[in-house]
Amino acid sequence: SSGINAEYGTLISDTISSPTHAASLSFIADTIKSHSSKEIVAVGHRVVHGGTEFPESSVLDSSALDKLASLNSLAPLHNPHNYAGVVAATRIFPHALQVGVFDTGYHRTIPEHAYTYPLPR
């Protein structure tokens, strides 16, 4: 189903069953192309753990992807899926800038009293 959003254009809502990130992104790309002639110029990716390699948002080129893959063990329930999404988006949108936004980058900015927890003796 779809509706109209005056500020952003057509709002498209759909439910799909997809086995992979690539299949999901292909569906999204096809849906966007069927509703707009505009090219996707950038894709933002939320990534859970950037380790010390990614202290802030970063362009995810091939070198950065190698580093990102090496961090999967830091967040094994999240990072492998984040990585798969970046790889799929890179294939589907080959001319688009891929940018990672890291949760750990945000957590580096909170004050000490917010991230320090008391432990029982």
Side-chain angles (χ1 to χ4, degrees), residues 1 4 16 18-22 30 38 40 42-43 47 56-60 63 69 71 82 89 98 102-103 113-114:
S1 65
I4 299 298
I16 64 169
S18 180
T20 66
H21 292 86
D30 292 343
K38 295 181 180 176
I40 301 295
V43 179
V47 181
E56 56 191 22
S57 298
S58 301
V59 172
L60 299 175
S63 173
L71 302 175
N82 300 152
Q98 307 293 324
F102 299 87
D103 289 5
H113 72 272

Side-chain angles (χ1 to χ4, degrees), residues 23-42:
S24 297
L25 282 172
S26 289
F27 175 82
I28 291 168
D30 292 343
T31 302
I32 291 170
K33 289 175 187 173
S34 72
H35 288 82
S36 176
S37 61
K38 295 181 180 176
E39 181 182 354
I40 301 295
V41 296

Side-chain angles (χ1 to χ4, degrees), residues 81-93:
H81 300 289
N82 300 152
Y83 175 81
V86 176
V87 170
T90 300
R91 287 188 188 132
I92 294 165
F93 306 108

